[in-house]
Structure formats: structure tokens, C-alpha cells
Amino acid sequence: MKGIQDPRLVPIAEKVLAGERVSFEEGLVLYQTQDLPTLMRLANWVRERKHGHKTYFVHSIRVSQTNICYVGCTFCAFQRRFGEEGAWDWDVEEVVAWIKARYQPGLKEIHLTAGHHPKRPFQYYLDLVRALKANFPEAQVKAWTAAEIHHFSKIARLPYREVLQALKEAGLDAMPGGGAEIFAERVRKRIARAKVSAEGWLEVHRTAHALGLPTNATMLYGHIETLEERLDHMERLRRLQDETGGFMSFIPLAFQPDGNPLARELGKKGFTTGVDDLKNLAVARIYLDNFPHIKGYWATLTPELAQVSLDWGVTDIDGTLIEERIVHMAGSPTPKGLTKGELARIILRAGRIPVERDALYREVRVWDAVEA
């Protein structure tokens, strides 16, 4: 590869172009380099080697059946206590009615994440999955983070395997990747002390993969973590993916600095920079060589930066969302949803091929044009 300005990148580029895995130390060099054009070209090379110009999105709806939560993560602006202003807590019938009121033809994915409700029994979640499958049979149910599965395990007094098996039998198709935050104990103690441990999060996903439930993985960045801790997070995911092969995508989530205790404590009012966001995506694309997709989540990046990210290793920009709440309650200035046409237009105008997919990354439609 010609034109490399940072000599430290020369041996790394040789490994990447040869399809070899980069080490932890080389991953740190990728984070530290100011040679952004080379970093971008390497990430794009991996992206195109895996998927060419294809870029994926899904017609989806985001549902949170409650924001009642006892965990108290300091980065969260979503959680509420019983009786607190802005709290909601829906029965199964209310969840179904909420989706029906917003239903759009061709919906492929119902994505559920919510708080750790202290009183709902495990049976409620089984009934909810069954009701969603009965009322929206054309949509796949991608539901509940590993942190929530850990919570279900506690309230049901069942091991992860039995919880996930029961949810799968009820109709669960896949799991989102939330709750991972940052695996490093130093950070986790400060931002998510009462949430599932890193080891627990990984074990839930290991168990899901063994049962044939594909999952995603996230990383919350841009708060108090170091670059080494970001890379440690990816290293643990890479090892688990080597073991199971069950992850579909990795989604870096930028910290949203509004309405949460951590932002107030840090005096943090600004969002992550575009350079940090793009470098993070590029490093992920190169380091996580065994992950099929790196997702540029437009709801936190902005649609404009998500479009740019398609040259930095990203092959998925998530979905239509339809009233996303969690990141918007923390200050995200982006729309709460985009249409399929808008997503396809973003991808087309970046010179890529829009591919509508389902929750399991099966292709639904290749968009070759979008009406103005």
C-alpha cells in the first residue's frame, strides 16, 4: 500500500492486506495514529473484502415496554422509579397496541430493550414474545440484552440456558448487543456497578450462541474509558467470536451527554468528535476480523456521519427504528426514525449498494434506486 505517512502502520498494513490478524499492541497503534487516510483505507479494504459495496439496513421498530429500572447506571437518562414523572410500565396488551398504532407494512424486526423491572415475573416476558409472534408473524423478535437476561435469570431463579431456551421456544429470534458498556472492571464499577458483570454478559452470549440464537455486541465509548480499555473490550469479543461464531455485528455506541449523572459528574456537555467516532469504527473493522459486520448506528452518529462511516469499515447503518427512545432521552439530536427510502438514499449517495435485510441479516431487497 502506497502513501503511508506513519511508518508504524507499514507492517500492520502488510498483515491486514494479507488477511492476517493484528495484535493488541498493533490495535493500539491504530488508535494512536494520526495517519487517518491510511487507517480509513485499511478499514475500507477489510469492509470491501467482506461485503463489496453492499450496505445493510432493516425495517424495524424500537420498543421499550417499561423504563422502570433499579440498576442505576450513571450514564443512563432512560431509567425511572415507580411513580416518578415520565415513568411507563405496559402490560402485554399495551405493547401490542403501541406497535399496532405505528405498524408499517413490511416490518421485519421488533427490537425490544427496557429497564430491569423489579416486579414483573419471568412469565410476563414469555407471554410478551408469544403475543408479538401471534400479532406480527412477519416480523422477527430481537429482544433483551444480556443484562436483561441476567435479570430474568435472577427473578426466575433459573440458569441462563433455561431462560434463553424458554424465550426461544416462545419465539425469540435473536438478541441485541446492549448492556456490554465497557468490560474493564475499573470503568464498570463506576458507570454500571449493579449491572451484570463482564463475565456474565459474555456467558449469556456464549449460551445464546450454543442454543442457536444469534446476537450482536456493543461498546459504549466516549466517557471515562481509555483506549486500552476499548481494545480490551474488543479483544474479549474477538475471543468469544472465535469460540462460538454467533455474533452478527459489532456496534460502537457514542456516549450521549445529557440528562444523566455521569455527564454532570464529568462536566461533559459535548458529543464525541467525528474523528473519534470514525477512528473507533475503523479500528473495530480491522481488529474484529471475525465479525461479519461493523454497524454505524445513525441514531448516535447522526445520519450524515453514518454516511461518511461507509468508507471507514461500516457495512450496516441499523434501521428505520420508529420512535427510538433510549438514546434520545440522553440527548441525541437525531430524528427518532427514518424511512426505508431515506436510509437507502443515504447509502446510494455514498456510492454504496443499499440492501434491506431482516434481523438475521438475510437479504430482503437490493435497492437500485430511490424516488426523490
Side-chain angles (χ1 to χ4, degrees):
M1 179 179 283
K2 297 180 179 178
I4 298 177
Q5 300 299 311
D6 184 345
R8 298 178 301 167
L9 294 182
V10 173
I12 298 175
E14 290 173 353
K15 291 180 75 172
V16 172
L17 296 181
E20 298 175 10
R21 175 167 287 183
V22 301
S23 68
F24 189 91
E25 292 71 23
E26 290 165 335
L28 279 179
V29 171
L30 294 174
Y31 263 129
Q32 294 162 350
T33 187
Q34 297 304 311
D35 186 354
L36 299 183
T38 298
L39 180 62
M40 179 188 71
R41 285 189 293 156
L42 288 175
N44 189 55
W45 189 89
V46 177
R47 174 235 208 272
E48 293 189 0
R49 179 173 58 84
K50 287 180 175 289
H51 298 286
H53 289 291
K54 286 185 174 179
T55 302
Y56 296 81
F57 69 94
V58 62
H59 191 20
S60 66
I61 188 167
R62 292 296 170 105
V63 186
S64 296
Q65 76 276 2
T66 184
N67 61 350
I68 300 292
C69 186
Y70 64 82
V71 173
C73 297
T74 61
F75 60 84
C76 181
F78 173 78
Q79 61 196 321
R80 295 290 186 275
R81 304 287 182 179
F82 285 109
E84 189 175 352
E85 183 179 358
W88 72 82
D89 181 14
W90 296 335
D91 293 329
V92 169
E93 294 75 16
E94 292 174 301
V95 177
V96 171
W98 191 89
I99 297 174
K100 283 184 174 178
R102 293 156 181 81
Y103 179 82
Q104 298 173 2
L107 191 74
K108 291 299 178 188
E109 176 187 281
I110 299 174
H111 177 132
L112 288 100
T113 55
H116 291 42
H117 194 291
K119 295 184 179 179
R120 292 282 189 191
F122 181 48
Q123 186 63 44
Y124 165 81
Y125 302 97
L126 297 174
D127 293 342
L128 181 51
V129 175
R130 292 192 185 101
L132 295 176
K133 297 298 283 190
N135 284 276
F136 311 103
E138 75 285 5
Q140 292 156 329
V141 177
K142 186 179 78 180
W144 300 310
T145 67
E148 290 165 284
I149 298 298
H150 177 75
H151 167 66
F152 300 164
S153 174
K154 290 199 297 183
I155 60 175
R157 299 184 179 181
L158 293 171
Y160 296 153
R161 186 177 186 86
E162 291 186 33
V163 168
L164 288 165
Q165 184 66 50
L167 288 169
K168 183 181 179 184
E169 289 172 1
L172 184 68
D173 295 295
M175 280 174 54
E181 321 317 352
I182 287 283
F183 290 146
E185 187 70 8
R186 179 192 74 85
V187 180
R188 211 166 184 85
K189 280 184 176 178
R190 190 165 168 190
I191 71 170
R193 180 182 295 272
K195 186 171 274 182
V196 64
S197 66
E199 292 72 23
W201 190 98
L202 292 164
E203 185 58 30
V204 168
H205 283 262
R206 179 180 288 109
T207 306
H209 298 169
L211 291 171
L213 282 170
T215 73
N216 299 306
T218 61
M219 177 177 74
L220 181 70
Y221 69 97
H223 41 87
I224 63 170
E225 85 288 355
T226 65
L227 296 182
E228 288 82 357
E229 286 164 341
R230 289 188 195 182
L231 207 58
D232 166 72
H233 189 94
M234 292 187 202
E235 173 62 27
R236 298 195 208 194
L237 291 174
R238 191 167 76 172
R239 287 202 298 262
L240 182 56
Q241 181 75 333
D242 278 344
E243 178 184 333
T244 68
F247 287 116
M248 298 180 289
S249 70
F250 174 67
I251 311 134
L253 298 173
F255 175 63
Q256 304 297 300
D258 194 13
N260 59 75
L262 184 60
R264 289 192 292 273
E265 176 188 341
L266 299 175
K268 202 173 182 68
K269 297 181 180 178
F271 292 85
T272 53
T273 68
V275 169
D276 191 14
D277 294 330
L278 294 173
K279 285 185 77 172
N280 205 48
L281 290 163
V283 174
R285 179 59 287 168
I286 295 167
Y287 199 79
L288 294 174
D289 60 339
N290 53 2
F291 271 62
H293 295 280
I294 303 298
K295 185 180 292 187
Y297 186 40
W298 68 260
T300 56
L301 291 177
T302 73
E304 294 79 10
L305 194 61
Q307 187 180 43
V308 175
S309 74
L310 304 188
D311 289 337
W312 291 73
V314 165
T315 48
D316 188 292
I317 59 172
D318 206 272
T320 50
L321 304 189
I322 308 178
E323 293 198 22
E324 195 287 332
R325 295 186 178 199
I326 294 178
V327 302
H328 288 89
M329 290 179 73
S332 174
T334 61
K336 291 186 177 179
L338 293 174
T339 67
K340 290 193 291 184
E342 288 170 329
L343 289 170
R345 190 173 296 108
I346 286 170
I347 296 167
L348 275 170
R349 291 183 177 174
R352 305 292 185 171
I353 302 169
V355 180
E356 185 180 345
R357 62 170 175 82
D358 65 11
L360 305 178
Y361 280 87
R362 296 182 300 208
E363 294 187 8
V364 175
R365 174 188 171 188
V366 177
W367 290 60
D368 54 7
V370 183
E371 293 182 3

